[in-house]
């Protein structure tokens, strides 16, 4: 006769097996999702920084064009100063007044076939207007 072995023998000094709750997967997924959100947020901020840095700025472009004008070409310069300077006229009442004064002085250099070079006074007003501009 074969002796049957019983595996339900009570063991002395050994505690029964208990189920241990394992949360490490949840901790890992939580940390990974927070890290992914931080990386996405950082990427978005870097993207916005470069996008803003490379954005076209009309005021800067008009200021650059005003400073690069060839004032020897009087008629062309008078038209360009009037059109480009209008970008900055609404900055303050002082800018508005200066722009109107400057356009009145430039009237004599427009609408004629042949015009003289800018007078020293007009050149002074043009330079003063350029110095007033904040970009």
């Amino acid at each position: 006769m074969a002796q049957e072995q019983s595996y339900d023998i009570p063991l002395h000094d050994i505690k029964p097996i208990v189920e241990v709750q394992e949360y490490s997967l949840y901790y890992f997924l939580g940390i990974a999702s927070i890290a992914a959100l931080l990386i996405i947020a950082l990427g978005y901020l870097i993207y916005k920084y470069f996008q803003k840095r490379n954005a076209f700025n009309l005021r800067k472009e008009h200021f650059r064009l005003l400073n690069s004008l060839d004032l020897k070409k009087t008629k062309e310069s008078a038209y360009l100063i009037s059109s480009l300077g209008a970008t900055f006229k609404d900055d303050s009442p002082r800018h508005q007044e200066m722009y109107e004064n400057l356009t009145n002085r430039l009237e004599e250099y427009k609408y004629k076939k042949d015009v003289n070079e800018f007078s020293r006074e007009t050149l002074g007003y043009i330079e003063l207007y350029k110095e007033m501009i904040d970009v």
Side-chain angles (χ1 to χ4, degrees), residues 70-80 105-119 122 126:
D70 182 14
L71 297 178
K72 299 291 182 197
K73 299 176 182 176
T74 310
K75 187 173 186 174
E76 180 183 326
S77 295
Y79 281 109
L80 285 173
R105 291 186 180 280
L106 293 174
E107 287 294 319
E108 67 181 83
Y109 301 103
K110 300 179 187 177
Y111 315 119
K112 296 180 183 175
K113 187 173 185 178
D114 295 320
V115 291
N116 297 329
E117 289 190 6
F118 289 124
S119 66
T122 306
I126 292 169

Side-chain angles (χ1 to χ4, degrees), residues 11-75:
L11 302 174
H12 302 288
D13 297 332
I14 297 178
K15 300 210 181 225
I17 296 177
V18 283
E19 186 177 332
V20 176
Q21 298 294 329
E22 179 61 38
Y23 295 113
S24 63
L25 177 64
Y26 300 119
Y27 293 146
F28 173 73
L29 291 176
I31 291 172
S33 61
I34 289 173
L37 286 174
L38 288 175
I39 290 171
I40 289 170
L42 182 65
Y44 177 75
L45 291 175
I46 291 171
Y47 169 76
K48 290 302 276 183
Y49 170 75
F50 282 113
Q51 186 180 25
K52 185 176 182 180
R53 194 173 127 209
N54 295 331
F56 180 75
N57 188 338
L58 184 66
R59 291 177 58 88
K60 283 185 181 178
E61 184 64 21
H62 282 190
F63 185 68
R64 186 188 64 77
L65 290 172
L66 272 175
N67 284 328
S68 67
L69 282 177
D70 182 14
L71 297 178
K72 299 291 182 197
K73 299 176 182 176
T74 310
K75 187 173 186 174

